[in-house]
Amino acid sequence: MDDDAVFKALADPTRRHLLDRLHERDGRTLSELESELEMSRFGVMKHLRVLEAAGLVVALRSGREKLHYLNPVPIRLIHDRWIDKYTEGHVSALVRLKTTLEDTA
Amino acid sequence: MTTMTATTTQVYQLFIRATPEQIWEAITTPEFTAQYFYGARIEVNGERYLSLGPDDSVWGDDPVLEFDPPRRLVHGWRSLYSPELAAEKSSRVTWEIEPQDGGYCLLRVVHDQLEGAPMTAEAVSGGWMMVLSGLKTLLETGKPLAG
């Protein structure tokens, strides 16, 4: 619903790191996520709240625990709206050239 | 595409500018699903979830576990379109539709009980995003997602 919230949430290295951790293994508790970051519990909570507000993380209750799941749909929607359009034809040819040159370098 | 390992629950959610009834219709009637679900014609009633591919082959034939229009649908999942995936254990898909302010609904899809279906888990993860993105586009613009 709100692209701004998604871009804002993604514009922070700690939050991107949290998404990568969830992508690696989904459905984690706050304590698990906290143990992998050099950050206070409060700090991690704050970042998770921003990610939840952007819809990038969904917290579901499982018994007494609250498990955090990565919701990749907003990124897909941004991809469809903002990336697909600009990466057709000549742009993707340049990206391929860059990848090829950097891989062989 | 993904390197996710041992994921037994997958959660997808998005906001769609539509009524719960419109979303319910779009996920339970074949004329709609054919436009965003890889061409599958999916028919759902209180007992059965039947999905037919464009060539009429059976892609899915699963029991419906909960049927509460227009809010909640729970059905089994086995990917019959691939012999390799069909051999895995059955998993479960839950659709929840929650009305929000401003004419929007929150649609949440939880694909869980994937413990006995690791290849299915891997295979469907990109697929759900395509399907849900396509569903949103269809309901909000009346047109299937291009490309």
Side-chain angles (χ1 to χ4, degrees):
Chain A
M1 188 151 54
D2 188 357
D3 282 358
D4 288 354
V6 180
F7 281 117
K8 198 182 140 221
L10 290 173
D12 178 277
T14 306
R15 291 196 286 269
R16 292 196 299 272
H17 182 72
L18 278 168
L19 293 179
D20 277 344
R21 297 283 73 75
L22 289 175
H23 184 259
E24 236 170 53
R25 196 159 48 79
D26 220 353
R28 302 211 211 190
T29 61
L30 173 62
S31 306
E32 275 178 86
L33 289 166
E34 186 195 341
S35 69
E36 292 195 7
L37 288 174
E38 299 272 321
M39 191 179 273
S40 69
R41 189 176 182 87
F42 180 75
V44 178
M45 272 169 71
K46 218 174 73 183
H47 284 301
L48 281 174
R49 264 204 299 274
V50 177
L51 290 167
E52 280 183 57
L56 290 163
V57 166
V58 178
L60 298 182
R61 286 222 157 267
S62 168
R64 279 187 351 190
E65 286 181 328
K66 199 167 144 193
L67 302 181
H68 297 83
Y69 291 91
L70 170 69
N71 173 36
V73 179
I75 297 177
R76 175 80 216 184
L77 295 176
I78 282 191
H79 172 271
D80 292 348
R81 166 65 182 87
W82 289 104
I83 303 190
D84 247 13
K85 184 167 140 188
Y86 297 104
T87 52
E88 283 160 14
H90 60 285
V91 184
S92 53
L94 285 177
V95 172
R96 271 198 302 279
L97 179 64
K98 175 181 158 70
T99 312
T100 312
L101 290 174
E102 289 180 355
D103 278 357
T104 51
Chain B
M1 186 183 112
T2 168
T3 52
M4 236 187 276
T5 49
T7 302
T8 57
T9 298
Q10 297 179 11
V11 179
Y12 303 92
Q13 72 173 39
L14 72 168
F15 292 96
I16 299 180
R17 202 177 61 241
T19 64
E21 290 77 14
Q22 287 170 320
I23 297 175
W24 182 269
E25 192 185 6
I27 61 182
T28 55
T29 46
E31 294 73 27
F32 272 104
T33 64
Q35 297 181 69
Y36 67 88
F37 214 117
Y38 293 95
R41 280 171 291 121
I42 300 171
E43 203 157 357
V44 187
N45 59 39
E47 279 95 50
R48 190 182 188 198
Y49 174 96
L50 180 66
S51 171
L52 299 177
D55 60 350
D56 280 337
S57 61
V58 179
W59 279 6
D61 188 354
D62 302 278
V64 167
L65 309 165
E66 283 179 57
F67 188 78
D68 181 15
R71 300 298 290 270
R72 190 175 159 85
L73 171 67
V74 185
H75 59 84
W77 181 280
R78 265 176 73 222
S79 304
L80 301 181
Y81 48 83
S82 147
E84 214 182 19
L85 301 182
E88 292 193 318
K89 287 215 170 73
S90 187
S91 51
R92 180 176 72 175
V93 175
T94 301
W95 302 76
E96 284 174 311
I97 303 166
E98 281 174 32
Q100 310 285 310
D101 293 339
Y104 279 88
C105 281
L106 177 69
L107 173 65
R108 178 182 292 161
V109 175
V110 177
H111 193 154
D112 66 353
Q113 299 186 348
L114 282 157
E115 289 83 352
M119 284 185 292
T120 300
E122 181 85 27
V124 298
S125 61
W128 278 121
M129 275 192 283
M130 283 295 290
V131 164
L132 295 173
S133 171
L135 172 61
K136 177 180 168 74
T137 304
L138 180 66
L139 282 167
E140 293 185 355
T141 68
K143 296 187 201 88
L145 193 64

